[in-house]
Amino acid sequence: MDIGVVLQCDPPALGVVELAKKAEAAGFSHVWTFDSHVLWQEPFVIYSKILADTERVVVGPMVTNPGTRDWTVTASLFATLNEMYGNRTVCGIGRGDSAVRVLGSRPTTLAELRECVQVVRELGNGRAVHLRDRDLQFAWAPDSRLEVWVAAYGPKALALTGEVGDGYILQLADPDIAAWMIGAVRAAAERAGRDPAAIKFCVAAPAYVGDDLAHQRDQTRWFGGMVGNHVADIVARYGAGGAVPTVLTDYIKGRQGYDYAEHGRAGNTHTDFVPDEVVDRFCILGPIGHHLKRLAELKELGVDQFALYLQHDAKESTLAAYGEHVIPVVS
């Protein structure tokens, strides 16, 4: 199993680069970042510096969306980085959350997401696409190689992932929910005539190594609020009657709005509705032994990568602990 890390593009940007360098030195395989250009700094600029200052880590957004950039621009960004640094990028993508909502916009439709995935992947692999009545191709990028991994929770988005995604990103680390979601993606791939085994599965969630569980919960409760935004959309569309596991729909009953100014931040005052049980299920907290146990369960489900969100007050010690005690065991 690969171990990646997810960073926010908080200023200073060079501080993000330094964390990425420490992650590579510790043995991490991927450096992901949020992509929300109003709340944080522009990730693709930072990726170029990370790639220049490292040798092997793969970089990409967790996740970008079809709405904030022209699709051909997104593909060109990846292809340019690949030409400069040797195919060390991956595109995580979803319908859009904070990046579009802070602009007063809404997540894109699944039809738009499907088309965007195909356009970005084809162009990012040096192939031609037909878009807006034009045949387009990056003649300068014949050797670029790019995978597109789709983030999804709802049943239709999971089906789309199985039909067109190179990988699936699940943003929570509960093995029971992961089994349900991964099973839905695999079933959709098989129905579409694809090999389910060819899809890569990434579970992403906060991880915090230490013994003060109460403090760790307070530092990572924000994550349940972030997941709750997506679940609220699913409930609004499908109701609370089984479209996704009930543990997801049950805990958001106490949700009352959300302030994106506190998105993805420890101490988020709009996530008090998230109970300790959900924090413990969605995140990986506690001593190293608990991390190893949870990761073993996820690996057994076929998870190819665990990407740990590093939005808490023990960033460097958690990186170091994973480098010393986790990566040598699970890789």
Side-chain angles (χ1 to χ4, degrees):
M1 177 189 285
D2 286 337
I3 302 293
V5 63
V6 186
L7 307 174
Q8 281 176 335
C9 294
D10 275 324
L14 290 178
V16 181
V17 175
E18 288 303 311
L19 279 174
K21 290 162 64 176
K22 290 176 180 178
E24 178 174 82
F28 285 76
S29 62
H30 290 65
V31 175
W32 305 84
T33 74
F34 283 50
D35 178 13
S36 195
H37 62 285
V38 174
L39 296 179
W40 304 292
Q41 294 178 311
E42 169 55 40
F44 284 90
V45 177
I46 298 173
Y47 295 157
S48 191
K49 180 63 173 172
I50 291 173
L51 290 168
D53 287 5
T54 57
E55 295 181 356
R56 58 170 184 80
V57 289
V58 174
V59 303
M62 188 171 286
V63 293
T64 193
N65 68 87
T68 52
R69 296 183 187 86
D70 184 273
W71 304 345
T72 62
V73 171
T74 299
S76 184
L77 288 166
F78 284 109
T80 301
L81 291 173
N82 284 342
E83 188 277 326
M84 292 174 70
Y85 301 109
N87 290 329
R88 293 168 55 201
T89 67
V90 60
C91 178
I93 193 167
R95 293 177 57 223
D97 183 30
S98 64
V100 293
R101 294 188 199 270
V102 297
L103 299 174
S105 187
R106 298 176 60 83
T108 60
T109 66
L110 289 175
E112 290 171 317
L113 176 60
R114 179 189 296 273
E115 186 179 7
C116 180
V117 167
Q118 293 167 330
V119 167
V120 170
R121 179 172 51 223
E122 293 306 293
L123 290 176
N125 283 281
R127 298 189 289 263
V129 299
H130 189 75
L131 181 68
R132 306 187 193 104
D133 296 322
R134 297 287 188 276
D135 292 321
L136 305 173
Q137 187 171 9
F138 297 154
W140 48 267
D143 298 322
S144 176
R145 296 296 176 265
L146 178 70
E147 292 186 348
V148 181
W149 298 9
V150 182
Y153 294 101
K156 291 183 179 179
L158 293 168
L160 180 155
T161 304
E163 291 161 5
V164 302
D166 297 306
Y168 168 52
I169 296 171
L170 172 61
Q171 296 177 88
L172 57 83
D174 178 85
D176 292 335
I177 297 174
W180 191 93
M181 300 286 189
I182 289 171
V185 171
R186 285 175 172 158
E190 191 166 2
R191 289 194 301 270
R194 301 182 69 201
D195 178 5
I199 299 174
K200 296 177 181 176
F201 293 97
C202 174
V203 164
Y208 192 133
V209 177
D211 297 319
D212 188 346
L213 190 56
H215 177 72
Q216 293 175 38
R217 286 168 174 159
D218 287 342
Q219 285 285 300
T220 57
R221 199 175 306 275
W222 63 267
F223 184 69
M226 187 185 82
V227 173
N229 296 330
H230 300 284
V231 177
D233 286 345
I234 294 169
V235 171
R237 179 179 294 268
Y238 300 102
V244 296
T246 56
V247 65
L248 287 173
T249 55
D250 285 351
Y251 91 92
I252 67 162
K253 291 177 181 178
R255 180 180 182 270
Q256 298 180 354
Y258 190 84
D259 184 355
Y260 278 90
E262 297 183 343
H263 185 62
R265 297 192 183 278
N268 187 322
T269 59
H270 298 270
T271 58
D272 291 344
F273 69 93
V274 182
D276 289 349
E277 177 192 2
V278 166
V279 178
D280 293 347
R281 292 185 68 169
F282 286 11
C283 306
I284 307 183
L285 311 177
I288 284 292
H290 183 68
H291 292 249
L292 291 173
K293 180 177 182 295
R294 182 76 68 85
L295 293 173
E297 293 174 321
L298 293 171
K299 188 174 183 178
E300 182 67 22
L301 295 175
V303 173
D304 299 288
Q305 180 182 158
F306 172 64
L308 64 93
Y309 279 91
L310 207 61
Q311 286 76 45
H312 52 62
D313 61 1
K315 294 180 177 64
E316 296 199 18
S317 62
T318 295
L319 276 181
Y322 262 67
E324 183 176 355
H325 301 292
V326 176
I327 292 174
V329 175
V330 304
S331 296

